[in-house]
Amino acid sequence: MTLTLAIHSSKGGTGKTSIAVNLAVAFAASGKNTCLIDLDLRGPSLCSMFKPRSHFWINDFLSGKCSIKDTLTDIRDEVGTKAHLYLSFSNPEIGEIRDLVSKDRDWQAGALKALMNGKKELAERGLDVIIFDTSPGVEYESINAVAASDMVIIVHNDTSACTSCTEQLITGVYSLLDKKCAIIDNMYHGNCLDLIDKERYGVPILATIPCMCEIATRSKEEVLVHTDPDHMFSKSIVSIKDKIEIM
Ligand SMILES: Nc1ncnc2c1ncn2[C@@H]1O[C@H](COP(=O)(O)OP(=O)(O)OP(=O)(O)O)[C@@H](O)[C@H]1O
Ligand SMILES: [Mg+2]
């Protein structure tokens, strides 16, 4: 069965994309055919890390202009993973991002339907894991990604604003949509060894990853799980993958 994860957060900049990309590489390295889809249509990131070779963007698929397979770029050979690692890129053109504002409910409803069909097609093509990288908060596209997922991975940091919004998302969105959830505490500033929390708001905490300046200062194209598997961040990601697999 194909597992679909939405990597989401209440606030921006919590580390969703870093975690989504590294998790996708970790799954593919462990032999799972994986597809990472950039559904952060308002702030595309994947195209600044990898070069698309496909002729279409995920935006085209959501608008009904192509099939999901037309949007895929396989980076297995580049990254050297055991299984396929497909990427589906969001269009970074400013005009495309601006046009999102004018997309109405009908477009968003069509996009959700497309996403559900795309998920089915990817499952039929033998994908084991699909990961949606999302926009923060409750934009339509993020809620569509959550709705189309089997499980939401909430990337959280310990600012009070993030904490209160995360609680609202859990009770007001994920629970209403009946989604399985788990939290990753990222950019933690305290001493991880002191931590005893295993859950928050009734949701399991998969990992607490410290704030490490060198993560932010390393090259944007670098995927630590691939280039530096002994790094603490990479080890956390692999342990998160292992935990997700048995949830
Ligand atoms: N544990 C960490 N310690 C320090 N820096 C981190 C950590 N995790 C991620 N970062 C850095 O934080 C910045 C934001 O990360 P990222 O782009 O993954 O967040 P995001 O949630 O996807 O942001 P957005 O909401 O804008 O899409 C990046 O520069 C990244 O390298
Ligand atoms: Mg991001």
Side-chain angles (χ1 to χ4, degrees):
M1 213 185 104
T2 309
L3 173 69
T4 306
L5 305 171
I7 316 293
H8 191 222
S9 66
S10 55
K11 296 285 179 188
T14 58
K16 291 178 296 303
T17 300
S18 314
I19 288 171
V21 170
N22 279 277
L23 206 49
V25 172
F27 272 113
S30 75
K32 305 273 187 201
N33 288 318
T34 302
C35 180
L36 172 61
I37 303 182
D38 190 354
L39 285 179
D40 189 351
L41 307 182
R42 287 165 200 259
S45 313
L46 220 46
C47 53
S48 60
M49 302 180 73
F50 302 97
K51 200 171 159 26
R53 290 193 305 273
S54 45
H55 295 295
F56 292 96
W57 306 98
I58 190 68
N59 316 60
D60 300 318
F61 168 68
L62 296 175
S63 296
K65 294 179 189 160
C66 65
S67 86
I68 191 122
K69 76 170 179 356
D70 299 327
T71 71
L72 303 180
T73 296
D74 189 356
I75 59 161
R76 173 162 74 169
D77 293 342
E78 275 157 75
V79 186
T81 48
K82 205 190 250 183
H84 288 287
L85 176 49
Y86 297 103
L87 303 180
S88 181
F89 295 84
S90 176
N91 189 342
E93 289 289 322
I94 197 73
E96 183 75 30
I97 296 169
R98 200 188 49 223
D99 282 355
L100 267 180
V101 180
S102 60
K103 304 280 190 213
D104 60 11
R105 279 167 183 254
D106 285 348
W107 186 89
Q108 294 290 358
L112 176 58
K113 203 168 158 203
L115 210 49
M116 300 302 289
N117 288 335
K119 207 179 119 168
K120 200 164 151 233
E121 190 187 325
L122 291 174
E124 284 164 4
R125 292 173 73 86
L127 267 292
D128 300 301
V129 181
I130 302 168
I131 299 178
F132 299 140
D133 185 18
T134 70
S135 303
V138 289
E139 299 294 355
Y140 250 116
E141 306 86 68
S142 306
I143 302 305
N144 278 352
V146 167
S149 69
D150 304 313
M151 183 175 179
V152 186
I153 306 296
I154 307 157
V155 183
H156 179 267
N157 63 31
D158 58 357
T159 60
S160 57
C162 193
T163 302
S164 109
C165 292
T166 298
E167 187 172 9
Q168 290 181 57
L169 276 179
I170 290 169
T171 52
V173 179
Y174 311 141
S175 299
L176 289 184
L177 291 171
D178 204 18
K179 295 296 165 187
K180 202 192 267 186
C181 310
I183 292 174
I184 297 173
D185 264 330
N186 191 28
M187 304 186 195
Y188 186 71
H189 285 94
N191 182 352
C192 291
L193 296 175
D194 295 341
L195 288 172
I196 48 163
D197 285 1
K198 292 275 179 284
E199 61 157 56
R200 198 175 301 129
Y201 324 119
V203 172
I205 298 175
L206 293 178
T208 299
I209 306 176
C211 188
M212 294 172 270
C213 287
E214 58 140 335
I215 293 182
T217 51
R218 283 172 90 141
S219 156
K220 284 281 167 269
E221 290 86 43
E222 191 175 350
V223 183
L224 284 179
V225 161
H226 170 54
T227 57
D228 194 351
D230 291 329
H231 195 284
M232 192 177 181
F233 184 81
S234 310
K235 287 186 170 170
S236 297
I237 294 288
V238 172
S239 128
I240 290 165
K241 174 196 76 69
D242 292 344
K243 287 182 187 167
I244 291 171
E245 282 180 315
I246 54 168
M247 281 182 84

